[in-house]
């Protein structure tokens, strides 16, 4: 049970990181969100299946609040991650690492260009593996609009990626 | 085969199909269309590739030490809930058990059983009414988050 909870909180941390781009900010948001989970009367129990979308929603809203608060660019931290990641992967298999990292970079760059909600849709589905129902809950949108929004986001991502390949 | 109106109609369902979120009927229809339409099936393959790449994207974990500290807060809340549950259920069980034995005890005369039940029942009733009022106030009081 502890493992499942750890997975949810790690996932939520990454969502905050994906929105905010800065590790320290994402940690702050996670800490705040846990405090909310503890004191909020309508919070689902951390052991229930409803906890994950509820907690993601809190983390997402907190991250956006923070983002609005700061309105600053994240490019520096982005580069830090890449360097760090490159180092750790090079140790395993240099050739494969270079390829994976390049694709990873491209995907991240393309995601960064997408409008906020499209980026969230793609990440919640494809990275966090959430169902449409859970995504609707996290983003506070009707379930019926998840599929169309997600499809539009993917098509936009596809165009961005083909453009980069074409360069 | 090019079938634009059908392609448009299928549109976003390609994503639904990819995510396994369609009904069996819808998913069958998309599957048939993909096998017949080159352009849609190409889109499907590309979206599938992108999905794979996004799922493999690398984002670092939160430092284990910090995460543990955070998790401890959450687990202690669970302990807190559990402790409350244990206390309340323990009290309930003992009350039910006590009442049951009190009424079955033949050494106590009937009138004292009735009188004791009235006093205790009234007391518990009063307590529950006040408790209910307090709970309602604590939920609807818009000033309850104001620190004095």
């Amino acid at each position: 049970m502890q493992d499942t909870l750890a997975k949810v909180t790690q996932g939520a941390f990454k969502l905050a990181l994906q929105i905010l781009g800065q590790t320290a900010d994402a940690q702050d948001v996670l800490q705040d969100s846990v405090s909310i989970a503890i004191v909020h009367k309508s919070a689902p129990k951390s052991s229930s299946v409803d906890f994950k979308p509820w907690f993601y929603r809190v983390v997402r809203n907190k991250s956006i609040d923070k983002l609005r608060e700061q309105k600053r660019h994240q490019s520096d931290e982005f580069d830090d991650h890449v360097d760090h990641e490159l180092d750790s992967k090079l140790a395993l298999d240099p050739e494969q690492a270079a390829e994976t990292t390049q694709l990873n970079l491209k995907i991240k760059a393309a995601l960064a260009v997408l409008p906020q909600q499209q980026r969230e849709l793609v990440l919640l589905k494809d990275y966090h593996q959430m169902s449409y129902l859970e995504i609707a809950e996290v983003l506070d949108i009707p379930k019926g609009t998840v599929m169309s929004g997600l499809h539009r986001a993917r098509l936009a991502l596809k165009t961005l990626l083909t453009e980069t390949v074409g360069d | 085969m090019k079938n634009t109106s059908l392609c448009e109609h299928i549109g976003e369902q390609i994503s639904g199909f990819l995510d396994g979120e369609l009904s069996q009927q819808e998913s069958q229809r998309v599957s048939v269309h993909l096998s017949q339409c080159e352009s849609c099936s190409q889109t499907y393959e590309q979206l599938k590739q992108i999905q794979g790449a996004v799922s493999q994207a690398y984002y670092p974990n939160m430092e284990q030490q910090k995460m543990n500290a955070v998790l401890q807060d959450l687990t202690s809340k669970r302990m807190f809930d559990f402790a409350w549950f244990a206390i309340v259920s323990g009290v309930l069980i003992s009350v039910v058990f006590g009442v049951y034995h009190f009424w079955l005890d033949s050494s106590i005369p009937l009138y004292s059983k009735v009188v004791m039940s009235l006093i205790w029942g009234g007391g518990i009733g009063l307590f529950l009414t006040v408790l209910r009022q307090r709970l309602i106030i604590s939920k609807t009081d818009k000033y309850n988050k104001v620190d004095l």
Side-chain angles (χ1 to χ4, degrees):
Chain A
M1 194 133 76
Q2 191 71 26
D3 281 357
T4 344
L5 185 60
K7 243 187 223 167
V8 171
T9 44
Q10 279 294 7
F13 166 75
K14 288 179 184 181
L15 179 67
L17 184 63
Q18 285 157 351
I19 296 172
L20 290 161
Q22 308 237 9
T23 314
D25 290 345
Q27 276 170 1
D28 287 349
V29 162
L30 198 81
Q31 186 68 58
D32 286 355
S33 307
V34 167
S35 310
I36 291 176
I38 291 168
V39 295
H40 206 283
K41 283 174 189 152
S42 67
K45 287 208 179 83
S46 57
S47 52
S48 92
V49 281
D50 300 328
F51 183 71
K52 184 179 173 186
W54 184 89
F55 191 62
Y56 268 55
R57 184 170 168 175
V58 173
V59 166
R60 186 246 175 188
N61 291 344
K62 281 270 145 203
S63 304
I64 288 175
D65 285 350
K66 203 169 186 81
L67 203 61
R68 284 201 190 120
E69 219 172 86
Q70 303 170 331
K71 281 192 179 165
R72 65 169 178 238
H73 279 287
Q74 319 145 353
S75 50
D76 300 349
E77 187 77 10
F78 189 75
D79 289 346
D80 278 359
H81 287 328
V82 173
D83 290 346
H84 171 73
E85 173 190 341
L86 195 61
D87 288 347
S88 64
K89 285 208 170 159
L90 276 176
L92 300 170
D93 178 357
E95 222 167 278
Q96 201 194 357
E99 221 171 86
T100 331
T101 314
Q102 222 177 5
L103 180 65
N104 189 23
L105 264 179
K106 257 190 224 162
I107 287 280
K108 278 186 174 177
L111 278 169
V113 180
L114 285 185
Q116 165 103 17
Q117 197 178 56
Q118 290 198 340
R119 180 168 58 243
E120 286 173 340
L121 280 166
V122 171
L123 284 168
L124 286 173
K125 179 66 233 173
D126 294 343
Y127 186 82
H128 296 280
Q129 317 275 334
M130 287 187 135
S131 70
Y132 286 3
L133 193 65
E134 289 174 319
I135 294 174
E137 222 179 303
V138 175
L139 298 180
D140 197 17
I141 55 175
K143 192 201 165 201
T145 60
V146 172
M147 184 161 72
S148 54
L150 184 59
H151 190 62
R152 234 172 298 141
R154 280 175 175 156
L155 290 182
L157 199 56
K158 177 170 87 91
T159 315
L160 283 167
L161 288 169
T162 11
E163 272 170 11
T164 353
V165 172
D167 284 348
Chain B
M1 184 174 114
K2 197 97 180 153
N3 189 344
T4 355
S5 74
L6 189 57
C7 292
E8 245 171 60
H9 194 66
I10 294 282
E12 63 192 44
Q13 292 200 336
I14 293 182
S15 274
F17 183 69
L18 187 63
D19 300 325
E21 294 266 357
L22 297 183
S23 68
Q24 201 183 357
Q25 206 181 4
E26 288 169 328
S27 133
Q28 217 157 25
R29 207 173 46 159
V30 175
S31 158
V32 168
H33 178 72
L34 289 182
S35 68
Q36 292 167 343
C37 173
E38 205 177 312
S39 125
C40 282
S41 104
Q42 201 185 354
T43 307
Y44 171 76
E45 286 303 326
Q46 282 170 325
L47 294 191
K48 200 171 163 182
Q49 265 179 13
I50 292 174
Q51 186 178 51
V54 173
S55 72
Q56 299 290 312
Y58 172 81
Y59 293 94
N61 274 329
M62 185 160 154
E63 272 173 60
Q64 202 52 50
Q65 216 179 344
K66 287 189 177 148
M67 184 52 85
N68 284 346
V70 167
L71 283 181
Q72 226 159 24
D73 288 349
L74 265 180
T75 339
S76 58
K77 192 215 175 196
R78 212 153 56 191
M79 276 302 290
F80 182 78
D81 288 346
F82 177 75
W84 262 111
F85 175 75
I87 289 174
V88 170
S89 50
V91 167
L92 271 181
I93 289 170
S94 56
V95 165
V96 170
F97 203 66
V99 168
Y100 179 74
H101 274 267
F102 178 69
W103 272 94
L104 283 194
D105 193 339
S106 51
S107 66
I108 303 170
L110 183 66
Y111 76 90
S112 85
K113 278 184 188 173
V114 173
V115 170
M116 288 304 276
S117 301
L118 281 174
I119 293 173
W120 277 98
I124 291 172
L126 266 181
F127 172 74
L128 287 179
T129 323
V130 173
L131 184 71
R132 186 173 158 269
Q133 271 171 348
R134 285 289 161 93
L135 282 176
I136 290 173
I137 288 171
S138 82
K139 277 204 174 155
T140 52
D141 182 12
K142 52 186 170 182
Y143 301 115
N144 72 357
K145 280 203 177 134
V146 179
D147 287 326
L148 293 174

